[in-house]
Amino acid sequence: MSKGSTPENYVRELRLRSPVSSQVYLSILNGFQRFVAEQAEDKSVSQTTIRQWLKDRTLAWPFHIVTDRARLVDRFLDWRVNNRALTSNPFADLRAEYGQRMTTPVVRALLNPNPEAALEALRPLPRFGSFLGPVMREHVGLMHAMGYRYNTQAERLLRLDRFLQGRPDLSGHPLTELIREWTNTRSTRSMRWTATRRADCFPVCCLVSIQQSRGFLRTNGSGG
């Protein structure tokens, strides 16, 4: 580690009000640095070393403490990268690769018995990637071209699209069946007819409107 990129300098720059907090931060970061030095011959901070450290810390801390202190290490590594003392931050690399804004989901995935599959499951679904995605994307584009902001409606359509991406078996089924499956899924979360649930019916109404104007979807099993 370069002389200027030590945990002491990082904590000093944080200007924490409490001396106790400063000591806690130093203890965590120095412990992490010692672990890296013991595990990696070249003292490099790799994804493998990060996972080993997380697994080791679960033996001493409950999960919420592990994630809290992992976020501290994450910020410290970012600081080292910004100071050109480290080539890359494995936490940041994983967040970028798997489309995550927060560190906690990455920590949870790394601690999974099958971390590769758990990380892969974090990847966000593509926008309008379902079998009805193209027609929904075209509809949203048309509304924007007509001058409507349409952002809230587009987000609701994206929720339906994500549902349909998880149900490729519904491809080619009648619109009435898609409506039933969608509304049944939504209703399992709350039995009350709230404003949110009424808003979530928008994608269904939108699909019906598209079907009526373009004949894109079947409304029943008879086709046409």
Side-chain angles (χ1 to χ4, degrees):
M1 182 187 298
S2 63
K3 292 182 179 180
S5 62
T6 63
E8 289 77 10
N9 285 341
Y10 172 69
V11 172
R12 188 178 300 115
E13 287 189 16
L14 293 178
R15 297 182 179 180
L16 300 172
R17 294 183 179 181
S18 169
V20 174
S21 296
S22 296
Q23 289 303 313
V24 171
Y25 278 34
L26 275 174
S27 176
I28 294 165
L29 296 176
N30 282 326
F32 172 76
Q33 291 294 99
R34 284 193 300 272
F35 184 90
V36 171
E38 293 169 359
Q39 296 296 317
E41 292 183 4
D42 58 356
K43 298 184 180 181
S44 63
V45 185
S46 65
Q47 292 182 13
T48 299
T49 305
I50 289 289
R51 183 167 184 254
Q52 290 171 338
W53 176 75
L54 290 170
K55 290 178 67 177
D56 178 77
R57 291 299 79 203
T58 59
L59 301 177
W61 303 330
F63 178 76
H64 73 281
I65 297 296
V66 173
T67 56
D68 179 70
R69 294 178 179 178
R71 288 193 293 269
L72 171 61
V73 169
D74 182 17
R75 295 192 296 271
F76 171 62
L77 296 179
D78 270 342
W79 175 79
R80 292 194 64 202
V81 170
N82 291 336
N83 282 277
R84 300 182 180 180
L86 191 67
T87 304
S88 64
N89 172 5
F91 281 119
D93 292 344
L94 288 168
R95 285 199 308 273
E97 182 175 358
Y98 295 101
Q100 299 298 306
R101 295 175 58 191
M102 309 298 291
T103 303
T104 298
V106 172
V107 170
R108 184 178 291 108
L110 289 173
L111 289 173
N112 190 284
N114 188 346
E116 293 81 9
L119 285 168
E120 199 60 40
L122 294 179
R123 288 190 190 276
L125 294 171
R127 289 173 60 89
F128 297 121
S130 73
F131 55 88
L132 289 184
V135 72
M136 287 192 278
R137 183 189 299 110
E138 183 179 341
H139 173 73
V140 171
L142 176 62
M143 293 298 103
H144 286 162
M146 293 174 63
Y148 296 102
R149 293 182 62 184
Y150 219 66
N151 296 330
T152 300
Q153 295 89 335
E155 284 301 316
R156 291 170 185 160
L157 281 172
L158 281 168
R159 281 202 292 271
L160 174 59
D161 180 72
R162 287 191 291 269
F163 165 74
L164 293 176
Q165 287 191 56
R167 292 294 307 274
D169 57 298
L170 293 176
S171 178
H173 284 233
L175 178 58
T176 51
E177 186 171 344
L178 281 113
I179 293 172
R180 182 173 64 251
E181 292 295 324
W182 166 250
T183 54
N184 284 347
T185 301
R186 301 300 299 178
S187 63
T188 59
R189 300 180 185 178
S190 173
M191 297 304 294
R192 293 178 300 172
W193 187 259
T194 62
T196 301
R197 281 211 57 221
R198 288 196 295 271
D200 283 332
C201 285
F202 166 80
V204 173
C205 298
C206 185
L207 284 179
V208 171
S209 176
I210 295 171
Q211 188 277 330
Q212 290 176 341
S213 63
R214 299 181 56 188
F216 186 85
L217 298 168
R218 292 182 297 143
T219 55
N220 56 56
S222 60

